[in-house]
């Protein structure tokens, strides 16, 4: 059962000064090939310097608020009980992600095996190579599968949260409910399944009216304020896709994200010590060639708010006139 809380906040009259991949590979046939990520388990590269090969295309606190004219209400959510309930079905569930007015209302898997080699393949595919959902049920060949955290993510407590908490989810490139069909051109569809819903944030009205990401564990609920919506190369330095990076590198990733963002979030100012939530999926906007598409991602990032932060019902955004583009 979801428990809802309402916080009364004040409309902002002055500027608020506020301190915040991807799909698994789609294969062209049900049989693993030599290019499948299972071979990555033998790589000699350290984990925190290489991307998870399974994925080929997946305020300062509270800030300063000036009293306004009319009260607003921002709805928040308690999914701690939902996480506990989901764990009775799959003990690898460790969290829940919710984005209002999208289909992203999903248990998130946290087992380290989901980002690594052959064990990862066996955990997220059935014996006929169909993707499994969080209940370990088949979603069909090229189906929407499951969302899960990078294998170095730490969600033990608020104090221990990874500086860059990364969740990977699928964008199948197909209409909602459609499994892979070679005769249908792949596209980034905001009404598609799983993390294809992130493309809703390219709409200015939607982005303005949806400033937060809601993330819960069994112990606590967290709210992240969105500050970047962007395309990037799959191989970035520092690695945006890793939950094993340092606090300073997480800040560098966030600053780079702002340069790339389609929107400038004027009410968010990044600071040392910030912690971030990074949602990564694949993209077909740069190229629809499935092999070439492995080199790019679409990402939405948010900055962790303090436990009792006052919330604004909207984000203050402007169009970025020259976002940094991925190298093609």
């Amino acid at each position: 059962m979801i428990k809802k809380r309402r916080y009364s906040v004040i409309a902002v009259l002055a500027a608020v000064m506020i301190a915040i991949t991807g799909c698994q590979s789609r294969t062209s046939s049900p049989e693993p090939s030599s290019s499948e990520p299972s071979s990555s388990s033998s790589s000699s590269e350290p984990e925190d310097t290489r991307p998870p090969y399974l994925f080929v295309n997946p305020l300062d606190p509270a800030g300063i608020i000036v009293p306004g004219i009319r009260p607003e209400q921002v709805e928040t959510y308690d999914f701690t009980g939902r996480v506990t309930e989901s764990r009775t079905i799959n003990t690898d569930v460790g969290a829940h992600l919710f984005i209002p007015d999208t289909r992203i209302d999903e248990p998130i898997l946290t087992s380290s095996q989901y980002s690594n080699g052959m064990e990862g393949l066996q955990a997220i595919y059935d014996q006929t190579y169909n993707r499994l959902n969080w209940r370990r049920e088949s979603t069909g060949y090229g189906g929407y599968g499951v969302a899960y955290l990078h294998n170095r993510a730490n969600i033990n407590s608020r104090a221990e949260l990874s500086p860059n908490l990364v969740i990977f989810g699928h964008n199948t490139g197909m209409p909602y409910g459609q499994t892979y069909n070679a005769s249908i051109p792949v596209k980034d569809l905001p009404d598609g399944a799983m993390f294809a819903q992130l493309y809703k944030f390219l709409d200015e009205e939607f982005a303005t009216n949806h400033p937060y990401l809601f993330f819960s564990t069994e112990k606590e609920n967290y709210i992240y304020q969105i500050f970047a919506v962007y395309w990037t190369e799959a191989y970035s330095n520092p690695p945006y896709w890793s939950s094993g990076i340092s606090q300073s590198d997480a800040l560098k990733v966030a600053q780079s994200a702002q340069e790339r963002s389609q929107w400038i979030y004027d009410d968010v100012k990044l600071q040392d010590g910030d912690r971030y939530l990074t949602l990564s999926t694949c993209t077909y906007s740069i190229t629809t060639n499935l092999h070439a598409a492995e080199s790019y991602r679409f990402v939405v990032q948010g900055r962790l708010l303090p436990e009792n932060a006052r919330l604004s019902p909207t984000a203050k955004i402007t169009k970025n006139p020259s976002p940094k583009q991925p190298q093609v």
Side-chain angles (χ1 to χ4, degrees):
M1 177 68 66
I2 303 172
K3 295 175 284 185
K4 299 183 179 179
R5 297 176 292 174
R6 294 183 180 271
Y7 289 84
S8 178
V9 295
I10 305 299
V12 178
L13 291 183
V16 181
M17 303 301 296
I18 304 173
I20 270 167
T21 78
C23 319
Q24 298 148 333
S25 54
R26 173 186 286 120
T27 56
S28 57
S29 89
E31 296 300 327
S33 67
S34 59
S35 63
E36 278 303 313
S38 57
S39 62
S40 68
S41 59
S42 61
S43 171
S44 60
E45 296 179 76
E47 164 59 26
D48 60 353
T49 62
R50 59 188 173 88
Y53 293 131
L54 283 182
F55 304 104
V56 293
N57 263 353
L59 268 154
D60 179 346
I64 302 172
I65 302 227
V66 178
I69 298 174
R70 60 189 175 85
E72 298 280 1
Q73 289 191 332
V74 177
E75 195 164 71
T76 61
Y77 306 86
D78 181 358
F79 287 101
T80 54
R82 178 81 70 84
V83 178
T84 301
E85 181 181 337
S86 298
R87 284 179 56 80
T88 65
I89 298 171
N90 185 347
T91 56
D92 287 337
V93 171
H96 193 96
L97 177 66
F98 176 66
I99 304 177
D101 299 317
T102 74
R103 291 192 179 100
I104 300 177
D105 185 1
E106 284 284 318
I108 304 300
L109 304 187
T110 56
S111 173
S112 63
Q113 68 180 348
Y114 291 100
S115 297
N116 267 332
M118 203 60 206
E119 286 185 351
L121 288 175
Q122 293 169 348
I124 56 183
Y125 290 97
D126 64 17
Q127 292 182 342
T128 57
Y129 218 63
N130 292 323
R131 289 174 178 159
L132 303 175
N133 63 16
W134 71 271
R135 296 173 178 268
R136 298 194 177 104
E137 302 165 335
S138 174
T139 61
Y141 178 56
Y144 58 84
V146 67
Y148 50 95
L149 283 156
H150 184 264
N151 62 359
R152 290 201 170 188
N154 187 335
I155 57 172
N156 289 336
S157 68
R158 180 176 286 269
E160 296 176 275
L161 284 174
S162 298
N164 186 38
L165 202 60
V166 184
I167 302 177
F168 304 102
H170 299 290
N171 166 21
T172 66
M174 294 283 124
Y176 183 77
Q178 172 70 54
T179 56
Y180 180 64
N181 186 327
S183 67
I184 302 176
V186 289
K187 294 181 180 179
D188 293 330
L189 302 170
D191 289 323
M194 191 63 77
F195 273 23
Q197 296 278 302
L198 295 179
Y199 287 95
K200 290 180 182 290
F201 285 99
L202 293 176
D203 178 83
E204 183 172 7
E205 182 177 0
F206 185 91
T208 297
N209 289 296
H210 297 83
Y212 306 112
L213 308 170
F214 297 91
F215 178 81
S216 300
T217 66
E218 279 192 288
K219 301 176 183 177
E220 192 166 357
N221 299 295
Y222 303 97
I223 300 175
Y224 289 81
Q225 184 184 30
I226 298 170
F227 70 92
V229 174
Y230 64 100
W231 282 276
T232 184
E233 301 86 0
Y235 304 91
S236 63
N237 186 25
Y240 88 91
W241 44 260
S242 176
S243 291
I245 60 177
S246 66
Q247 193 86 54
S248 60
D249 277 350
L251 178 59
K252 291 177 184 177
V253 167
Q255 290 169 334
S256 175
Q258 287 185 314
E259 294 176 359
R260 296 172 180 273
S261 182
Q262 298 298 298
W263 309 112
I264 297 172
Y265 283 78
D266 298 309
D267 47 0
V268 180
K269 241 180 203 182
L270 305 182
Q271 294 186 354
D272 290 336
D274 284 344
R275 297 173 188 267
Y276 308 107
L277 181 65
T278 299
L279 309 182
S280 177
T281 195
C282 51
T283 180
Y284 308 104
S285 293
I286 297 173
T287 175
T288 57
N289 179 288
L290 294 184
H291 179 72
E294 297 179 6
S295 298
Y296 307 101
R297 304 290 188 273
F298 183 74
V299 183
V300 173
Q301 281 184 288
R303 175 184 177 277
L304 180 66
L305 298 182
E307 191 171 3
N308 296 311
R310 287 174 288 180
L311 306 179
S312 172
T314 58
K316 183 180 179 182
I317 66 173
T318 54
K319 180 67 177 176
N320 187 345
S322 55
K324 183 179 178 180
Q325 300 297 320
Q327 296 181 357
V328 179

